Each structure stands twice: as structure tokens, then as C-alpha cells.
Amino acid sequence: MKRPQTVRSRGQRAGLDLDQIVETAQSFEVEDLTMQSLAKAMQVDRKALNYYVKDREALLTILAHKAFADEFSPDAIRAAEDWRDASRIYASSFVERALSLGKLSEHLWFGEPLTTWSLEANESLFARFFEAGFTDEAATRLVTMLSTLCLGHARDVIQATGSMEKPRPKALRAALERLNPEKFANLLRILDHGYDTYGDEQIDFSIDVFLVGAEAVLKRDLRR
């Protein structure tokens, strides 16, 4: 009597797994990576890749999260003096890792199950907030705020890299040149100051403001 054959998917028949796909995809420049070029490099049918990866956008998201998490160590966050120090370390590491992604940072999002690749650093930061007395709701909102702040800054810096004039001042200057300057005295004055909102001073200022706000939230919750 013959044994019934096990039905396998295209991806399983091809002997693929997600780690193999990611490893091969990492050898490509972002602009050269397509599902077809990846399939050719792996010597499989393009449809075989779809068992694990829906399309190019999903693949780039996987690569971004993997590259981001590989060196986002939780150790320094765990060893931090307190939640404030832990927040600064988290933010510094976050920005550094996001900047290292270059163009791939455009595909770094935090609404996907794939964030399991970077959970340890987040777990460590949540632990420091919990130890300090923050409620779970406050900690959730604060970590979300800090992550969003850091990712936005990193993308700003990447976008401005190599530009003679930074994107925001350039766009504002172009807009004001077409309008009545008397109506926008404050914007013109700010523009003339030429403050650098893409450097370390900007992210340091943002984290300082974040910590002041977080401190106020903690005091409010502890009084309840």
C-alpha cells in the first residue's frame, strides 16, 4: 500500500526559508533589488518566493527591520542608571541604527509582526519605565513617541545628506519668495537665523523635551 504524499507549497518544494531569502537579498543594493532579480540569484521560480514574501515592498520592510535590529543591543539600556538615561541610550542607538540603513530607512515601520526582530531593546526600555513607576499606558505612549521622534529625525538626516541647502529651509525660502514678505516676518526671521535642525543639537533638544514631558507624566500618575 502506497503512503499518501504530503502536499507542500511552492516555497517548501523549492527548499526555501525566510532566512535564506533575507541573506541573499542583503547582497543587493536597494535600487537593484526586485523579486525577479532575487529569484534569479537564488535560482528559483519567482512564485516560490511569494510563499514567504508578498512583494518587493514587503521584502524591503523585512530587510530594514532585520538590519535595524541586528546591532540594536538591549545591554546598555539594561545597565542604564535610570529611565532617563535608558531613554537617551535607546534614542541614540535608534538614530544610529536607522541612519546606518540609508535608503532602506524609508521601509522601517513598526506596525508589522516583523518587529519581533527588535523586541529586546523595547522590552528593556519598558522594564525601566515600569521600575520608575510609569503606568503601562504612559509607557506605551512614551516609547511610541520616542521611537517616532527618532525615526523621523533619522529620515530627515538621510534626506538632507549631500544637499547644499537643507530641504526644509530650501522649501520655505522658495515658498516665501513667491509671497508678500510683510505677512511672514516671523518665518523670514527664523529662516535668516539658519538654525540646523538636522544635526545632533536637534535630536538632543527633542530628547530633552521628551524627558521633561515624561517626568511630568510620571509625577501626575504617582499622585493618583
Side-chain angles (χ1 to χ4, degrees):
M1 181 177 179
K2 291 184 179 180
R3 293 181 180 180
Q5 292 184 342
T6 302
V7 178
R8 296 185 298 177
S9 68
R10 289 192 182 94
Q12 291 173 316
R13 281 203 303 272
L16 296 175
D17 61 42
L18 186 57
D19 288 338
Q20 291 174 333
I21 293 171
V22 169
E23 183 178 355
T24 304
Q26 287 174 322
S27 66
F28 284 80
E29 295 295 333
V30 174
E31 55 270 22
D32 297 330
L33 180 62
T34 65
M35 297 297 284
Q36 186 59 50
S37 64
L38 179 60
K40 183 177 180 180
M42 299 190 75
Q43 298 182 333
V44 299
D45 189 283
R46 174 179 171 176
K47 293 180 180 179
L49 299 178
N50 295 131
Y51 177 76
Y52 293 101
V53 185
K54 178 182 177 182
D55 52 27
R56 180 177 184 270
E57 185 63 29
L59 177 60
L60 290 172
T61 298
I62 293 172
L63 293 178
H65 278 278
K66 182 69 165 62
F68 176 81
D70 274 349
E71 296 182 31
F72 197 3
S73 172
D75 296 339
I77 299 171
R78 291 169 182 160
E81 183 177 343
D82 57 19
W83 68 270
R84 301 169 193 82
D85 190 32
S87 295
R88 289 191 183 279
I89 293 170
Y90 178 93
S92 176
S93 298
F94 194 115
V95 171
E96 182 180 348
R97 293 304 306 144
L99 286 175
S100 73
L101 298 181
K103 294 179 180 178
L104 204 55
S105 71
E106 298 173 7
H107 305 277
L108 190 62
W109 302 101
F110 297 97
E112 298 289 333
L114 299 169
T115 52
T116 51
W117 268 324
S118 58
L119 284 180
E120 287 193 38
N122 286 310
E123 169 67 19
S124 300
L125 185 58
F126 270 109
R128 303 313 304 269
F129 277 109
F130 178 76
E131 293 164 4
F134 287 94
T135 66
D136 285 345
E137 180 181 0
T140 300
R141 297 191 187 284
L142 287 168
V143 174
T144 299
M145 179 189 296
L146 188 59
S147 299
T148 303
L149 183 158
C150 292
L151 182 56
H153 177 75
R155 284 177 174 162
D156 270 358
V157 174
I158 292 168
Q159 184 183 30
T161 300
S163 302
M164 293 296 293
E165 185 176 11
K166 304 305 182 186
R168 276 192 297 273
K170 182 178 180 180
L172 179 57
R173 192 180 305 280
L176 291 175
E177 286 175 353
R178 300 191 299 268
L179 302 171
N180 181 358
E182 295 180 359
K183 294 176 60 178
F184 302 99
N186 290 291
L187 288 177
L188 284 168
R189 186 182 70 256
I190 294 299
L191 188 61
D192 287 340
H193 282 307
Y195 298 121
D196 181 11
T197 59
Y198 295 86
D200 290 342
E201 287 186 5
Q202 180 63 37
I203 188 62
D204 290 343
F205 178 86
S206 299
I207 295 169
D208 286 343
V209 173
F210 168 85
L211 291 175
V212 170
E215 187 82 54
V217 169
L218 179 59
K219 289 179 179 178
R220 179 200 68 189
D221 289 346
L222 290 177
R223 285 197 300 266
R224 291 179 175 177

